[in-house]
Amino acid sequence: MTGNQWHDRLDKLRSACDRALDTATSIGAFSIEILRHTLEIEGLTAGTVFQFNSPEPQILVEEGLKKLFREGMYILDMDHTSMLRESIQQQKVVDIDRRCVPEVGLLEHSGVIAAVPSQNAPFYVIELAATRNFSREEFQHLREIVRLLATYIQQFLQEGTKQQEAPEDTGTFWERFDQFVLRLQRSLHLKETVAVAVNDGRSLIGCDRVSIALRHGSRAKVYGVSGQEDVAQRANLVQAMAVLTNEVIRGGQPVVYRGTIDGLAPQVEKPLAEYLAESRTRMVMLIPLREPEELIKDEPENTGRRQEKPRRVIGCLVVEQAAEARPRTNVVQRTELLTEHIETAIHNAQRYESIFLLPLWRFIGRTIGWFKGRRVWAALAIIAGIALVGAGLAYIPWEYRVEAKGLAMPVDQHEVFAPWDGDVVTVYVESGQRVEFGEKLVLLQSDELDAEKVRIVSEVNELKKTVLQRQAEARSADSRPADERIRIEFEAKKAEIELQGALDRLKVVEDRIANLLVTAPAPGVVATFQVKQLLQNRPVRRGELLMQVMDDNGEWRLELEVPEYRKGHIERAIANSGDEKLRVEYVLATAVEKSHEGHVTLISNRSNQSQEEGTIVEVHAAINKEDLGNRNIGADVTAKIHCGKKNLFYVLFGDVVEFVQRYFWL
């Protein structure tokens, strides 16, 4: 058995023992369960757990023990008893090598014995045996298995003792559960409902973190993480969680990671591995959230059986433990208990918030309530209200603004590329360091260029010797025939040309070697994060991006992503404006309490793709760098581009109008 196969077997055995810890109700049931999984390992014949309640051991559970005896009847001899006592007294693993007792019908067998670590009676001993001989490596593997089983039995006994010493106050839990359900159903706002579900739910479940991701169009979006007021959607952890929960929502089946990926769907393995690399958690449960069943179902007109439709998955509940791969006590049961309540509350909140123009309808409802019992006045008020609203929507001018998201960036940006294939020897700068023009940034070393230089230098030396030789022959060729003098002069000239060519190639190579010392193309700051950790002692290819240098003391601009279907509003506004400048109002993500202004300077004539917005057009806007405070390069901004006056109806319902025009045009 190879090393990888052995580790796979141990991982499977650990997983089986973890499951038995969750389900077994007694030490006997737990012991027989783990013995059965252990005997699935090739080569093992029998397994036994002995219990010492008195001086003589008794068999607690056994599996396959009769196979070791000729008549199939087990008899415990004195030598065997002494080995069991030795294992308890010395707390070590005892090897059984080719043991045979013909008097009692015991066949020749080999195996190992290990005591469960304990200070108090009763004591437990585990024995694994097989009717064959083991090699030294196989004995080492058996010792590792029996120690693992002893550790799990000790853990089962300790957890049972803790539960007896400190029984859970179920009354307190159900009081907290009732309060949780009341808070969960108190609000119909989705954000508040998710906040209660993740924060109060984490406390009830007893895990380290609870998160909720919901369907957001064709992908998943993380709406809540316990302990956080707002979710940073651009964070690597949140993005990895969104990708993972999206696959779980698509599959519609629960996913539980407990230290091994055995049995998981292939489409979940890669996003789960990426998420675990970011979160460093040991146990993750991902439970799909589904729409609740209808309380009153429409009866079919025919007498045939009504086909039940599967409940649609609306999101995913993520339960995590940071330090333990096995779920803590009651974590699985309490998660299942809370899931249905969370599903119902979130579904109700989503249905409530999906009502079109909800604030307006609430106002109308309160107003109509006042008119109950006043029919004439109610009719007049409704007619007058409709007329006023229609006139206001048609004739009141309002500023139409196109919303966009983007980054605040310096105008002067320079990307530094590798001039040749090589290895990074020295990085002279740190992230955020200010540099001047020509200052050293990175030193590369190219074995290829060094070897080429050595070869050309050798060639130059040989050609110099050849030139001197040909020139000497030409000077002494006056007395020779004319055709021979011409040949000698030709050879001399040819040697000089070859020498000059070699010198030119040598200069090219020397220039390339000199360019391996990369310098700053302009003054600015190094904008690449952790540049030394990124580049130091690593190979790079020619043309590969090494770092970025940006001048944060120069002019700044907004680099905005505008949805493509809104580009026409901006172009028409520019054509109608006298100075061809559109005002831009923006706020920084780090200081949303104050807005600033700029103006549009450039609109791209090419569309690009954005992961969040779909097809977009890049728009640049000039801004005052003094408005940026600490001038954080790449700061997130939300901007609104002023596109002139339109009637109030279009300002409010322009998205609906454009949607109809795009998809239902004739």
Side-chain angles (χ1 to χ4, degrees):
M1 184 185 300
T2 64
N4 291 335
Q5 292 175 335
W6 171 245
H7 289 300
D8 290 342
R9 291 284 179 86
L10 275 185
D11 288 340
K12 291 181 179 179
L13 183 58
R14 289 191 183 95
S15 300
C17 293
D18 285 335
R19 290 192 296 270
L21 280 173
D22 294 334
T23 57
T25 57
S26 66
I27 181 63
F30 176 74
S31 300
I32 192 65
E33 181 71 18
I34 64 176
L35 281 181
R36 287 171 179 169
H37 286 289
T38 304
L39 294 183
E40 292 177 0
I41 297 177
E42 182 180 356
L44 291 177
T45 304
T48 313
V49 176
F50 296 92
Q51 180 178 350
F52 279 79
N53 279 322
S54 61
E56 295 300 322
Q58 296 179 353
I59 295 178
L60 178 64
V61 294
E62 59 87 13
E63 186 72 16
L65 187 59
K66 294 181 180 179
K67 297 178 181 178
L68 301 180
F69 290 83
R70 185 175 297 108
E71 302 297 333
M73 180 179 297
Y74 171 74
I75 298 177
L76 183 65
D77 58 274
M78 294 181 60
D79 186 35
H80 193 181
T81 303
S82 65
M83 286 191 292
L84 296 176
R85 289 199 181 98
E86 178 186 356
S87 177
I88 295 176
Q89 292 169 358
Q90 299 185 10
Q91 291 294 306
K92 70 175 185 178
V93 177
V94 178
D95 293 340
I96 304 173
D97 189 13
R98 301 181 181 180
R99 184 170 182 268
C100 178
V101 184
E103 295 80 6
V104 296
L106 180 62
L107 302 175
E108 181 177 304
H109 66 281
S110 300
V112 290
I113 298 174
V116 176
S118 177
Q119 300 296 327
N120 302 315
F123 300 100
Y124 297 91
V125 181
I126 309 169
E127 179 178 349
L128 300 177
T131 56
R132 70 181 187 88
N133 299 326
F134 294 109
S135 65
R136 180 179 300 177
E137 183 181 3
E138 289 175 325
F139 262 118
Q140 183 178 354
H141 289 170
L142 278 179
R143 295 187 197 102
E144 190 172 353
I145 291 175
V146 78
R147 289 192 190 99
L148 177 66
L149 298 181
T151 301
Y152 271 101
I153 292 180
Q154 180 189 25
Q155 184 177 355
F156 183 88
L157 294 171
Q158 289 175 348
E159 290 187 358
T161 303
K162 290 179 181 178
Q163 291 178 358
Q164 293 175 1
E165 293 176 353
E168 183 181 9
D169 188 353
T170 56
T172 303
F173 168 76
W174 289 114
E175 289 178 4
R176 293 168 56 205
F177 176 75
D178 290 341
Q179 295 173 2
F180 167 76
V181 174
L182 287 174
R183 283 195 295 269
L184 195 63
Q185 302 293 343
R186 184 174 298 168
S187 175
L188 285 175
H189 292 287
L190 183 59
K191 185 176 180 180
E192 296 177 1
T193 302
V194 171
V196 172
V198 297
N199 291 299
D200 293 7
R202 186 199 66 80
S203 176
L204 274 176
I205 293 173
C207 61
D208 294 321
R209 181 166 59 202
V210 173
S211 308
I212 289 179
L214 302 176
R215 279 187 182 273
H216 190 76
S218 59
R219 60 188 180 88
K221 179 180 179 182
V222 180
Y223 275 74
V225 179
S226 58
Q228 299 183 18
E229 292 185 3
D230 295 314
V231 180
Q233 298 295 335
R234 292 179 179 267
N236 293 337
L237 177 65
V238 175
Q239 291 183 353
M241 182 186 293
V243 174
L244 174 59
T245 53
N246 188 43
E247 293 298 334
V248 175
I249 290 172
R250 288 180 179 177
Q253 297 297 324
V255 174
V256 181
Y257 171 79
R258 302 167 63 174
T260 177
I261 61 173
D262 292 341
L264 298 183
Q267 64 270 19
V268 177
E269 292 182 2
K270 182 178 178 181
L272 177 60
E274 294 175 352
Y275 177 70
L276 293 174
E278 291 290 340
S279 64
R280 305 294 182 184
T281 54
R282 298 289 304 280
M283 190 282 294
V284 182
M285 294 174 56
L286 298 112
I287 313 298
L289 301 176
R290 301 178 182 273
E291 290 181 342
E293 294 182 353
E294 299 177 358
L295 295 178
I296 301 177
K297 300 180 180 179
D298 297 333
E299 294 295 334
E301 295 181 358
N302 54 12
T303 57
R305 180 175 296 178
R306 183 174 182 266
Q307 185 177 2
E308 293 290 339
K309 293 183 179 179
R311 295 188 297 158
R312 189 175 73 93
V313 179
I314 60 175
C316 181
L317 177 67
V318 184
V319 178
E320 301 174 74
Q321 287 180 187
E324 302 169 81
R326 189 176 68 86
R328 298 169 188 156
T329 305
N330 297 327
V331 165
V332 176
Q333 295 84 348
R334 292 181 178 180
T335 300
E336 294 175 351
L337 176 65
L338 268 60
T339 297
E340 186 173 355
H341 295 278
I342 293 173
E343 288 175 337
T344 303
I346 289 177
H347 176 66
N348 291 339
Q350 286 182 327
R351 290 186 63 182
Y352 177 74
E353 291 195 351
S354 65
I355 299 175
F356 182 62
L357 294 179
L358 178 62
L360 176 62
W361 297 124
R362 282 197 303 220
F363 171 76
I364 293 175
R366 287 193 296 266
T367 304
I368 292 175
W370 183 86
F371 282 106
K372 287 183 179 179
R374 304 176 177 88
R375 296 182 179 179
V376 175
W377 287 105
L380 293 175
I382 292 173
I383 295 173
I386 294 175
L388 288 174
V389 170
L393 292 175
Y395 296 106
I396 294 177
W398 206 267
E399 185 71 26
Y400 183 80
R401 299 181 296 182
V402 172
E403 294 188 3
K405 293 183 179 180
L407 306 174
M409 301 290 291
V411 174
D412 191 5
Q413 305 176 22
H414 298 275
E415 295 181 334
V416 180
F417 300 95
W420 200 261
D421 297 350
D423 298 325
V424 177
V425 178
T426 306
V427 180
Y428 295 100
V429 294
E430 300 279 355
S431 298
Q433 177 179 334
R434 186 169 298 281
V435 296
E436 299 298 332
F437 173 75
E439 186 173 341
K440 294 187 292 185
L441 300 179
V442 177
L443 177 62
L444 305 181
Q445 180 180 346
S446 174
D447 295 339
E448 178 185 352
L449 292 179
D450 292 340
E452 180 69 11
K453 180 180 177 180
V454 171
R455 187 187 66 79
I456 296 177
V457 168
S458 176
E459 181 181 349
V460 167
N461 293 334
E462 292 296 328
L463 289 173
K464 285 182 178 179
K465 294 179 182 179
T466 302
V467 168
L468 293 176
Q469 181 181 355
R470 294 289 185 268
Q471 289 177 347
E473 291 177 355
R475 286 193 298 271
S476 61
D478 294 338
S479 60
R480 297 184 181 185
D483 56 346
E484 187 174 353
R485 285 200 310 273
I486 293 173
R487 182 186 61 79
I488 292 174
E489 290 176 356
F490 173 78
E491 293 292 338
K493 194 64 175 179
K494 177 182 177 182
E496 291 175 0
I497 293 173
E498 290 177 350
L499 175 60
Q500 186 60 43
L503 290 173
D504 292 341
R505 293 199 306 275
L506 178 61
K507 185 177 185 309
V508 171
V509 172
E510 289 176 342
D511 290 342
R512 288 176 176 173
I513 293 176
N515 289 336
L516 293 178
L517 178 60
V518 183
T519 59
V525 296
V526 178
T528 303
F529 183 61
Q530 292 186 336
V531 65
K532 279 197 172 182
Q533 293 85 335
L534 182 66
L535 297 178
Q536 187 69 50
N537 299 326
R538 58 157 288 198
V540 293
R541 304 287 295 176
R542 181 180 184 181
E544 183 176 343
L545 178 64
L546 300 178
M547 66 182 70
Q548 291 178 312
V549 177
M550 301 183 184
D551 186 8
D552 60 342
N553 289 329
E555 297 297 326
W556 283 66
R557 69 187 179 199
L558 302 182
E559 298 180 359
L560 305 175
E561 294 182 351
V562 177
E564 183 185 37
Y565 61 86
R566 296 189 182 277
K567 179 182 178 183
H569 294 290
I570 300 175
E571 292 178 338
R572 286 192 293 271
I574 290 177
N576 295 332
S577 64
D579 55 359
E580 296 186 352
K581 290 184 178 180
L582 296 185
R583 188 164 64 93
V584 177
E585 185 179 356
Y586 69 96
V587 293
L588 297 167
T590 55
V592 296
E593 68 278 359
K594 186 177 181 181
S595 63
H596 309 284
E597 290 190 358
H599 63 271
V600 174
T601 57
L602 178 65
I603 302 176
S604 174
N605 58 1
R606 177 179 177 179
S607 299
N608 291 320
Q609 292 296 320
S610 171
Q611 184 176 0
E612 294 186 359
E613 301 295 336
T615 306
I616 56 95
V617 174
E618 293 186 10
V619 175
H620 292 176
I623 59 175
N624 185 358
K625 64 182 179 182
E626 303 301 330
D627 295 337
L628 299 178
N630 58 4
R631 302 180 192 173
N632 183 24
I633 296 176
D636 286 342
V637 298
T638 301
K640 295 180 180 180
I641 304 172
H642 292 254
C643 297
K645 300 286 185 180
K646 295 183 181 294
N647 62 58
L648 185 58
F649 176 82
Y650 194 86
V651 173
L652 295 176
F653 306 104
D655 290 343
V656 179
V657 174
E658 292 179 358
F659 177 83
V660 173
Q661 290 174 340
R662 284 201 306 272
Y663 294 101
F664 299 99
W665 60 277
L666 298 177

